[in-house]
Amino acid sequence: MKHAPLATVTTGKNRRRLLGLSLLATALLQFGAFAQAQTAAPEPVKTEAASVKTDLPFGPLKHVKAGLLNVAYAETGPANGPVVILLHGWPYDIHSYDDVAPLLAAKGYRVLMPYARGYGDTHFLSDKTVRNGQPAALASDVIDFMDALKIKQAVLGGYDWGARSADIVSALWPERVKALVSVSGYLIGNQAAGKNPLPPKAELQWWYQFYFATDRGEAGYTRNTHDFAKLIWQLASPKWAFDDATFDRSAKALQNPDHVAITVFNYRWRLGLVQGESQYEALEQKLATAPSISVPTITLEGDANGAPHPAPEDYAKRFTGKYQFRLINGGIGHNLPQEDPKAFAQAIIDADHL
C-alpha cells in the first residue's frame, strides 16, 4: 500500500540550543522552594478491560499480561494493519500520541501505545518484583509486550525514555524492528559513560538527576510529582504553550504507585548509585559497547529542545542502515510527537518505506 505524505517537513542543519543559565537558575530556585510490521492477525490475543477510565481519543485502554507486567495500552487503526508501537517518555504519557495515532490509523496502520512500567494503569504482576528502572528492563518490556500480542515485527517510534527503549530494541533485536523513528537520535548509554563529568552548562541541564540521587530528592518528587513534572515540561519545551488541561491529562499517569520508584531507580542507575538486576546484565554488557543500529531509521530533533540531548553529528555513525536526520523547525521542543504530530507521523510513514 502506498502512503501519501501528510505534510512537508522542514529539515536542515542542526542548531543546538542550551537553555540560558538564567532560566534554569530561576527554575531551580523556584523548585527548591518546594514485515512491514507483521502480526498473527488470525489468532486473536485475549486482553482485559481497563480498570480505570481514560479520556483517550481512540477508546478505552486494553490490558495484556506481558512478562513482569500487566500492560495498559491504547490501540487504534485496522487490526490487520502493519504495526506501529509508539513509546512515551518521562514525565509524559501516551497522550503525546493523541494526534499522531489517528494520522497513522488513517493510513492503514495498527497503532499501539503502551504505558511504560510506572505509568498509568500498567502494573507489576507481583509485589515482590524489583521496581527497576534500568534501560535494559524497560526495553525488555517492549519485547515482552510484542510477544504477548504475537507481534513479530513493528515500526518503533519514541522520544525521551521511549526513544531509548526503541533504540535498544533496534540494536539488540533488529529482527523485531521494521523501522525506527527516534527523537534525539542515539540514546543508548551505560554506567561507565555516566561516570564521565560533562562541561558545567551540560551538567546544569541534568540538575534533576542529581536531585534524584538524594533522599531529599526522592521525598521531594514523591510530594511534588505534579509540579515537578510540569516544571520539566516547561524547561524541556520552552516555546510550547501547553495549557493546564493538556498537562493534567498526562499527569494522571504519574499517579501510578510505582512511578517514583521507577524514576529514581532509572536516574540513580545512570550514575552507578544502584546496580541493575542480574537478569539484565548480559544485555547491559552489550549496550556498553555502544552497538550500532542497522534498521532503517529517521532521527528527529526539535529546534527548541530544552532538554539534554546529543548533537546529530555525534551519533549519525551509530546508524549503519538507511538513515535520515530531520530538524523540525517552529519552536518545537522535547515532546516532539505532541508538539508537531504531523512531522512525527510523516517520519513514521517515511521510515517504513526507506
Side-chain angles (χ1 to χ4, degrees), residues 21-175:
L21 289 176
S22 59
L23 174 61
L24 268 175
T26 300
L28 284 168
L29 289 172
Q30 291 174 341
F31 183 78
F34 61 76
Q36 299 214 105
Q38 305 203 4
T39 70
E43 184 178 352
V45 177
K46 183 179 180 180
T47 58
E48 303 171 13
S51 60
V52 296
K53 293 182 179 180
T54 177
D55 53 355
L56 291 165
F58 13 79
L61 292 173
K62 297 180 178 181
H63 277 87
V64 65
K65 292 181 180 179
L68 301 173
L69 303 170
N70 185 319
V71 178
Y73 67 101
E75 178 175 351
T76 189
N80 62 348
V83 180
V84 174
I85 299 177
L86 302 176
L87 306 172
H88 68 84
W90 171 88
Y92 305 92
D93 83 327
I94 64 175
H95 282 293
S96 293
Y97 299 109
D98 279 2
D99 296 322
V100 171
L103 294 172
L104 295 174
K107 296 297 180 181
Y109 289 98
R110 178 189 178 194
V111 186
L112 305 173
M113 295 148 281
Y115 275 106
R117 56 169 65 190
Y119 293 82
D121 206 32
T122 289
H123 297 288
F124 287 92
L125 296 174
S126 171
D127 292 337
K128 297 180 180 179
T129 303
V130 176
R131 272 40 180 174
N132 182 346
Q134 75 182 103
L138 290 160
S140 295
D141 291 344
V142 178
I143 293 295
D144 289 338
F145 177 70
M146 294 176 69
D147 288 345
L149 294 180
K150 303 185 186 301
I151 296 170
K152 294 181 180 179
Q153 194 178 57
V155 177
L156 299 185
Y159 67 100
D160 194 80
W161 287 24
R164 180 173 294 105
S165 291
D167 285 351
I168 292 173
V169 173
S170 299
L172 300 185
W173 296 278
E175 72 281 0

Side-chain angles (χ1 to χ4, degrees), residues 253-306:
L254 310 184
Q255 297 173 10
N256 183 296
D258 299 315
H259 176 73
V260 172
I262 296 295
T263 299
V264 170
F265 194 111
N266 180 279
Y267 286 107
R268 289 183 180 180
W269 182 90
R270 298 189 198 192
L271 294 175
L273 301 178
V274 296
Q275 294 304 310
E277 295 178 273
S278 59
Q279 64 261 40
Y280 303 114
E281 182 58 30
L283 297 178
E284 294 294 358
Q285 288 180 2
K286 292 179 181 179
L287 296 174
T289 67
S292 62
I293 294 176
S294 60
V295 304
T297 300
I298 293 177
T299 63
L300 305 175
E301 191 59 79
D303 66 337
N305 184 1

